[in-house]
């Protein structure tokens, strides 16, 4: 067993429930440290305080799994998965069969993401510790959810930092088809879990799409950074008069076209545009009643934040200029490093420069299946504002 002793006084955040221990907090470590795996954490007085996954390759040396002296085994994962599933089952409508089943730290399983798309599950193992329990986790998932297949799509920055290569493939049952059909609040979408963005669909925006549909009746909409066109589908579902759906990616627009058709909106007044949202917003000559701005993360690292604020300001300034009097802007940032208060300040600067008077109608965030641990505010990455311009 690996044993990690913290420096004097460095146990406080862990005892309060934060799951991350950085290298600077560690006094000494004992045991098989070369291989990542389960470690016991002790304070400077050698009192046991927690148990988690340790990896010397990562700056985040330990991700805590439990503050109770319980074994980390298949039963442990079954209990945590069961807890997570019951939250989703209680709260999601029966017209939704796609959701995030495990949201890492938010479900007290740091390093693990599991998304359900109809009868398939897609897993992402981000840490070497979680990866070493892959068999137990897949077994527990298979027992809990009647899945036709479980697919892995593990990639990204955290995995690199853990010293792991990307991994993709079938972990259990059947291979997923090229596109899986899902239903979200009664709307139908196609999801490509192999080649699509993230694990195939932006599940975190579900509630915000539903909110948009309540604003859409009779309105003209612009959906920037549309990806699967999901906001446009909800917009037409809510009775929008016309929608411009804009993305820089050709495959994304083709997917959006398929999704609009699948929901019976191919004949309505819509336009699918391939282009750069920054250039479009600057040069566009039309105004819209409702605009959605959902860019990809513009700050991947803390050091990107200052440059990213400039890009967010540009987008929001030009979007606000193109709103009809009384129009609504749904604006988002999914950059974990950009705090909600800074995002609001950036949007305020954009409103001042656009010369518009703006009120916040609603503050928006990630859907219920993306819970954030109160002890790990870093998990709150998606923030949004629904704004209304006066005139
Ligand atoms: N709103 C979407 C998710 C958006 S993801 C949903 O609800 O599912 C971000 C999208 O922005 C991606 O599809 C990507 O292709 C697109 N994108 C990235 N840079 C862009 C740019 N400069 N202009 C337009 N689209 C861009």
């Amino acid at each position: 067993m690996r044993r990690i002793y913290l420096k004097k006084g460095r146990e406080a955040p862990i005892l309060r429930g934060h799951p991350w221990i950085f290298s600077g907090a560690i006094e000494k470590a004992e045991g098989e440290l070369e291989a990542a795996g389960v470690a016991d954490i002790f304070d400077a007085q050698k009192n046991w305080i927690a148990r988690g996954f340790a990896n010397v390759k990562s700056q985040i040396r330990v991700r805590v799994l439990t503050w109770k002296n319980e074994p980390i085994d298949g039963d442990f994962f079954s209990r945590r998965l069961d807890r997570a599933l019951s939250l989703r089952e209680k709260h999601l409508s029966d017209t939704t069969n796609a959701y995030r089943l495990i949201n890492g730290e938010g479900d007290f399983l740091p390093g693990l993401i599991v998304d359900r798309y109809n009868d398939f599950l897609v897993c992402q193992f981000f840490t070497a510790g979680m990866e070493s329990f892959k068999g137990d986790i897949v077994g527990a998932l298979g027992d809990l959810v009647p899945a036709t297949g479980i697919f892995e799509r593990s990639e990204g920055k955290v995995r690199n930092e853990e010293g792991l290569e990307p991994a993709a493939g079938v972990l259990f049952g059947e291979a997923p088809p090229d596109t899986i059909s899902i239903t979200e609040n009664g709307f139908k979408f196609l999801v490509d879990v192999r080649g699509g963005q993230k694990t195939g669909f932006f599940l975190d925006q579900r509630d915000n799409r539903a909110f948009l549909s309540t604003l859409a009746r009779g309105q003209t909409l612009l959906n920037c950074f549309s990806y699967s066109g999901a906001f446009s589908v909800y917009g037409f579902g809510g009775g929008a008069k016309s929608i411009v759906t804009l993305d820089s990616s050709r495959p994304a627009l083709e997917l959006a076209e398929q999704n609009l058709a699948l929901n019976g909106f191919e004949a309505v007044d819509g336009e699918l545009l391939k282009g750069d949202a920054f250039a479009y917003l600057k040069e566009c000559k039309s105004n819209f009643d409702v605009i959605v701005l959902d860019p990809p993360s513009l700050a991947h690292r803390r050091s990107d934040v200052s440059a990213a604020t400039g890009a967010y300001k540009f987008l929001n300034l030009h979007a606000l200029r193109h709103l009809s009097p009384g129009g609504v802007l749904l604006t988002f940032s999914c950059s974990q490093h950009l705090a909600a208060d800074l995002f609001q300040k950036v949007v305020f600067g954009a409103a001042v420069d656009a010369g518009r008077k703006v009120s916040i109608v609603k503050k928006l965030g990630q859907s219920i299946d993306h819970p954030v641990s109160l002890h790990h505010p870093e998990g709150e990455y998606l923030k949004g504002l629904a704004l209304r311009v006066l005139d």
Side-chain angles (χ1 to χ4, degrees):
M1 188 63 152
R2 300 158 193 84
R3 297 162 79 88
I4 290 179
Y5 297 90
L6 301 183
K7 289 181 182 159
K8 195 160 173 286
R10 302 302 282 271
E11 70 283 4
I14 305 306
L15 288 172
R16 286 198 295 262
H18 200 285
W20 292 352
I21 302 175
F22 289 89
S23 53
I26 296 175
E27 179 68 43
K28 66 171 177 160
E30 292 170 355
E32 281 173 58
L33 296 165
E34 286 318 302
V38 177
D40 276 334
I41 317 303
F42 299 85
D43 67 11
Q45 286 76 44
K46 300 195 166 42
N47 300 304
W48 185 96
I49 56 172
R51 182 165 289 153
F53 285 138
N55 185 352
V56 283
K57 295 200 174 110
S58 169
Q59 272 305 304
I60 304 177
R61 285 293 154 86
V62 182
R63 291 167 208 254
V64 173
L65 293 161
T66 182
W67 291 261
K68 283 202 303 203
N69 193 350
E70 58 187 330
I72 305 304
D73 54 15
D75 286 347
F76 168 83
F77 287 105
S78 291
R79 290 195 299 277
R80 289 278 160 99
L81 296 176
D82 195 39
R83 255 321 132 69
L85 182 64
S86 71
L87 169 79
R88 279 69 174 173
E89 282 184 336
K90 269 195 204 117
H91 294 281
L92 290 172
S93 77
D94 52 10
T95 55
T96 297
N97 65 14
Y99 52 81
R100 179 149 291 187
L101 171 55
I102 301 294
N103 189 41
E105 282 81 358
D107 286 298
F108 300 98
L109 287 171
L112 181 65
I113 297 288
V114 182
D115 288 339
R116 178 181 165 202
Y117 294 114
N118 198 344
D119 46 0
F120 283 88
L121 298 177
V122 182
C123 302
Q124 296 186 301
F125 298 89
F126 288 126
T127 63
M130 222 23 115
E131 173 129 323
S132 68
F133 280 85
K134 199 183 268 183
D136 287 302
I137 293 168
V138 170
L141 281 170
D143 290 344
L144 206 64
V145 185
T148 302
I150 303 180
F151 190 74
E152 172 172 23
R153 175 111 185 251
S154 300
E155 58 198 23
K157 187 163 109 346
V158 177
R159 232 180 124 82
N160 295 342
E161 287 161 2
E162 287 268 324
L164 299 169
E165 297 290 318
V170 176
L171 297 175
F172 165 85
E174 289 177 22
D178 290 346
T179 51
I180 301 175
S181 301
I182 61 153
T183 309
E184 188 188 84
N185 291 318
F187 295 111
K188 299 187 195 83
F189 297 98
L190 297 176
V191 178
D192 171 5
V193 299
R194 285 192 188 75
Q197 297 183 33
K198 291 184 119 188
T199 61
F201 197 67
F202 288 84
L203 297 162
D204 51 357
Q205 287 283 22
R206 183 188 314 100
D207 293 353
N208 302 324
R209 293 193 272 264
F211 177 62
L212 171 85
S213 73
T214 67
L215 301 167
R217 182 155 308 282
Q219 305 290 289
T220 58
L221 263 67
L222 169 63
N223 176 11
C224 288
F225 306 96
S226 59
Y227 184 45
S228 64
F231 274 105
S232 300
V233 168
Y234 277 73
F236 280 126
K241 187 160 85 186
S242 66
I243 306 183
V244 175
T245 301
L246 177 85
D247 201 284
S248 58
S249 147
R250 171 88 51 211
L253 284 173
E254 285 167 4
L255 184 62
E257 190 170 18
Q258 285 179 297
N259 285 331
L260 286 165
L262 206 58
N263 291 281
F265 301 132
E266 66 273 56
V268 285
D269 187 6
E271 195 184 345
L272 291 157
L273 273 186
K274 182 181 175 314
D276 171 32
F278 290 82
Y280 180 85
L281 284 167
K282 186 152 184 262
E283 287 148 24
C284 167
K285 299 278 178 283
S286 337
N287 282 350
F288 299 88
D289 300 322
V290 180
I291 298 180
V292 178
L293 277 187
D294 183 24
S297 174
L298 300 174
H300 293 287
R301 287 176 295 269
R302 207 172 293 281
S303 55
D304 296 338
V305 167
S306 151
T309 56
Y312 284 113
K313 182 169 176 191
F314 182 98
L315 286 173
N316 284 281
L317 165 66
H318 289 284
L320 286 166
R321 280 192 177 149
H322 288 295
L323 278 180
S324 320
V328 175
L329 171 64
L330 300 196
T331 181
F332 298 96
S333 162
C334 61
S335 305
Q336 186 215 308
H337 299 295
L338 186 77
D341 56 346
L342 178 57
F343 180 57
Q344 187 171 321
K345 283 187 188 123
V346 169
V347 175
F348 166 68
V352 171
D353 287 5
R356 309 225 47 181
K357 297 291 173 285
V358 176
S359 48
I360 298 173
V361 179
K362 197 169 164 50
K363 291 196 172 180
L364 306 169
Q366 51 215 56
S367 306
I368 192 164
D369 50 336
H370 292 63
V372 179
S373 164
L374 190 57
H375 314 271
H376 178 257
E378 297 90 332
E380 191 173 354
Y381 64 95
L382 182 66
K383 54 240 146 241
L385 295 168
L387 304 170
R388 187 162 191 269
V389 294
L390 180 61
D391 45 30

